Amino acid sequence: MKSRQKTGGIIKTCKRGANVTRLFGVVLCVISLAGCADRDRAGSLQFTPCRMTTLATEVSCATLNVPKKRGAESTPDTLKNNTISLRVIRLPANAPVAEPDPFFVIPGGPGQSAEAIAPLMVAMTEIRKKRDIIMIDPRGTGASAPISCPSLANDHASNRSLNILETAARVTHCLEELRADHIDPLDYGTLSSVEDIEDTRRALNVEKINIWAGSYGTRVALEYLRRYAQNTRTLTLDSVVSPSSTILLDGWQSRATQLRFWLEACEADPTCNKAIDDPSRVLSRLLKRLPRERTVTVVDPKTGKPQIIAIDFESALAAVLPLLYLPDYAALTPYILSRAADYHDFSPLITAANAFSSSLEKDVNPALYYAVTCAEDIRPRALPSTTLFTDALRRQSFFACSSWPKMRATETWGLPVTNTQTPVLILTGDLDPVTPPDLAREVGKTLTQKKIIVARGTGHIVSTQSCAPALIASFVNSGSLSRLLGSCVTHLEEGSLPDVWSNNLGASTAIQEENKHD
């Protein structure tokens, strides 16, 4: 870190070189070239200018080679065939001399790349004033040896069947495609990502790091804390996946809970209740309309032309559940379900499904998603009923992963992470449909220094909300939970709920009549 500190001073001196004697200016120019070269190097990593599609400004990128199979013996043959090149991205601090403990960002998913999370980091201006922000494309994503499955490519729901069984079959076929490319899904798990982060810290030659992690990334971050607490200065967890929870299975229960919340909210709202007949029973009416797969006519949102698709009840439910991630969209669910169940109008549902599936494909690598979740989340245990018709969807998760290899769990896998020294800020939304506040409280039980903030009226990922970036900066810059931005804590905890949607816009009469008689 000493060379870095010198670099900042040299750069400042170089800018003043034009105002001194010519001879001294020549000397400074020579020195500055060496200084700038040092600034591009951090530890053993050589950074060069690069661009990200999700950022307007230039950043710096470096490549770090790490073992593909963690634990494999290091012989010349294994090293030759046992390497993955990770892309490490640095948003340099806006200060001549950066603090010695950079801010590491762990994406979610699993399958999210640094590109997807980079826009959030733009909001972290207070942190970047003093610290480098370090992002890594997790192995298998972005520019870190990405894996892919043609069978999981998004071909837009409005042009094909929405049958969930078809999706499960494509997930099974994905495994065959990976094996044909000599890819072992078990090389891309959580514990390998933990070691990738530690290798990056060592390559940067820094003693401690600050970590932000969201959603699935919190699983990686907690496992890092379990193994490398001595290297963790602060930890911010947003939308926590507890060690005992499973992304594929437990999420269905919380999704069912949130869907019930919005249907009951519509029931309790006079305007919504008037627009939608008996909202609490809209799913029963949809099931009656779709007792088995049938074809329906919808308006393609891109062309405005009618499209015929095949759909069943479980597929319709799966299409609307992603709306629950964002409360403003979740407030639409009673309306969308009512349009399908009561007015034979599936266009709003299909439009929502297409919008979110297209966005999801841009943000998450589906091949890596299943490589991780099928290996780590299908554990033998009793599964309570999720109610509200989501059991069939959860069974399909089992079916889709049945042929995928399973990880060899360590002794501590799935156990709580205990820590007494590292300060941990935990953010959770009270309307989060997949990582509800109960998971944050579960994680917090074994962390001595922690602060749990439940953001009212907020869904999945709190860090993007209003003053949350400033709150995180107050934590990271001080390294203390006692110096949090108190006004922001109050603002998040006392937020308001969005209103349920109650404007029944109506749909094409021709399409309603056509669906009614199908």
Side-chain angles (χ1 to χ4, degrees):
M1 298 308 299
K2 292 181 179 179
S3 63
R4 174 112 193 213
Q5 293 171 354
K6 291 178 182 178
T7 299
I10 290 169
I11 290 176
K12 292 180 71 175
T13 307
C14 183
K15 292 179 179 179
R16 299 168 184 165
N19 299 323
V20 297
T21 64
R22 180 178 179 184
L23 177 61
F24 191 41
V26 171
V27 173
L28 284 175
C29 187
V30 173
I31 295 175
S32 68
L33 290 175
C36 291
D38 288 343
R39 190 174 176 84
D40 289 336
R41 179 173 292 279
S44 62
L45 293 181
Q46 179 67 44
F47 284 90
T48 58
C50 63
R51 289 279 182 179
M52 303 180 74
T53 59
T54 53
L55 291 181
T57 57
E58 187 177 78
V59 295
S60 299
C61 293
T63 298
L64 176 64
N65 293 327
V66 297
K68 178 187 293 185
K69 289 188 177 296
R70 292 289 182 175
E73 294 184 8
S74 297
T75 66
D77 287 338
T78 59
L79 287 175
K80 180 180 179 181
N81 301 308
N82 185 37
T83 300
I84 284 181
S85 295
L86 301 178
R87 180 172 71 157
V88 181
I89 302 113
R90 181 178 67 179
L91 280 65
N94 294 319
V97 180
E99 294 290 340
D101 41 36
F103 185 72
F104 271 53
V105 179
I106 305 179
Q112 197 174 47
S113 69
E115 291 272 1
I117 206 71
L120 170 61
M121 293 305 106
V122 173
M124 301 295 179
T125 53
E126 288 299 315
I127 290 178
R128 197 180 169 191
K129 282 182 179 179
K130 297 182 178 181
R131 285 176 172 80
D132 290 348
I133 294 178
I134 301 295
M135 298 181 289
I136 307 169
D137 274 336
R139 55 171 59 204
T141 73
S144 295
I147 62 175
S148 63
C149 289
S151 61
L152 295 180
N154 183 15
D155 49 2
H156 299 294
S158 61
N159 296 323
R160 59 173 173 83
S161 168
L162 281 184
N163 194 304
I164 292 296
L165 287 173
E166 177 190 325
T167 301
R170 292 196 293 161
V171 172
T172 300
H173 187 53
C174 173
L175 176 61
E176 299 171 1
E177 292 172 332
L178 293 179
R179 286 175 169 167
D181 289 336
H182 306 288
I183 293 172
D184 182 356
L186 295 182
D187 292 339
Y188 298 85
T190 296
L191 298 184
S192 292
S193 293
V194 167
E195 298 306 322
D196 291 345
I197 294 169
E198 175 60 7
D199 282 355
T200 303
R201 183 197 66 80
R202 292 175 181 173
L204 289 170
N205 193 28
V206 296
E207 181 180 351
K208 288 181 177 289
I209 60 176
N210 302 278
I211 297 176
W212 179 95
S215 193
Y216 160 75
T218 64
R219 176 186 287 180
V220 179
L222 283 167
E223 292 300 329
Y224 184 89
L225 182 66
R226 192 197 301 275
R227 289 160 178 76
Y228 301 107
Q230 72 279 9
N231 301 327
T232 310
R233 178 177 175 268
T234 66
L235 176 59
T236 303
L237 302 174
D238 190 342
S239 304
V240 182
V241 177
S242 69
S244 66
S245 64
T246 61
I247 296 170
L248 271 183
L249 305 180
D250 295 330
W252 295 116
Q253 180 67 55
S254 51
R255 288 183 183 98
T257 299
Q258 282 305 311
L259 183 54
R260 185 187 301 110
F261 169 85
W262 288 106
L263 295 177
E264 292 176 351
C266 182
E267 186 91 31
D269 181 86
T271 306
C272 189
N273 200 352
K274 182 178 179 180
I276 299 174
D277 182 45
D278 197 1
S280 63
R281 295 189 57 78
V282 69
L283 285 174
S284 297
R285 299 197 298 276
L286 182 61
L287 178 60
K288 185 177 180 180
R289 180 164 298 283
L290 293 174
R292 57 188 176 276
E293 184 177 87
R294 58 171 289 188
T295 59
V296 298
T297 303
V298 301
V299 175
D300 189 306
K302 291 186 175 181
T303 65
K305 297 179 179 179
Q307 291 278 343
I308 297 176
I309 68 161
I311 190 170
D312 61 12
F313 174 76
E314 286 77 17
S315 303
L317 189 58
V320 78
L321 288 177
L323 289 170
L324 300 174
Y325 279 70
L326 299 172
D328 287 339
Y329 287 92
L332 293 168
T333 52
Y335 165 78
I336 288 176
L337 291 170
S338 175
R339 295 306 304 175
D342 303 326
Y343 297 91
H344 327 290
D345 178 17
F346 289 82
S347 293
L349 187 149
I350 300 305
T351 299
N354 280 343
F356 275 83
S357 63
S358 298
S359 174
L360 188 65
E361 185 180 78
K362 292 178 182 177
D363 290 345
V364 174
N365 179 339
L368 189 67
Y369 174 85
Y370 287 107
V372 174
T373 55
C374 288
E376 299 178 359
D377 285 357
I378 304 298
R379 309 173 194 169
R381 59 187 174 96
L383 296 174
S385 173
T386 60
T387 69
L388 222 66
F389 310 105
T390 56
D391 277 343
L393 298 177
R394 186 168 56 176
R395 285 194 297 271
Q396 289 308 316
S397 296
F398 264 111
F399 175 73
C401 289
S402 59
S403 60
W404 285 67
K406 307 299 182 283
M407 70 174 290
R408 180 178 297 177
T410 61
E411 291 183 359
T412 58
W413 183 259
L415 298 180
V417 175
T418 301
N419 184 275
T420 60
Q421 301 297 322
T422 305
V424 183
L425 175 63
I426 303 177
L427 306 174
T428 180
D430 69 335
L431 299 181
D432 191 329
V434 64
T435 55
D438 285 349
L439 297 183
R441 298 185 186 102
E442 177 188 336
V443 167
K445 288 179 180 179
T446 53
L447 301 174
T448 302
Q449 297 190 55
K450 88 279 185 172
K451 171 67 175 178
I452 301 175
I453 298 175
V454 181
R456 187 170 184 265
T458 302
H460 197 59
I461 300 298
V462 179
S463 297
T464 57
Q465 303 299 312
S466 59
C467 60
L471 172 70
I472 297 169
S474 70
F475 171 53
V476 173
N477 289 339
S478 68
S480 172
L481 292 168
S482 64
R483 300 179 66 181
L484 293 178
L485 189 61
S487 60
C488 184
V489 174
T490 301
H491 176 76
L492 292 174
E493 292 180 337
E494 297 180 359
S496 59
L497 300 176
D499 294 329
V500 288
W501 180 265
S502 58
N503 184 7
N504 201 345
L505 297 176
S508 165
T509 302
I511 286 181
Q512 288 185 36
E513 290 301 315
E514 186 170 350
N515 286 334
K516 185 184 298 183
H517 296 100
D518 278 348

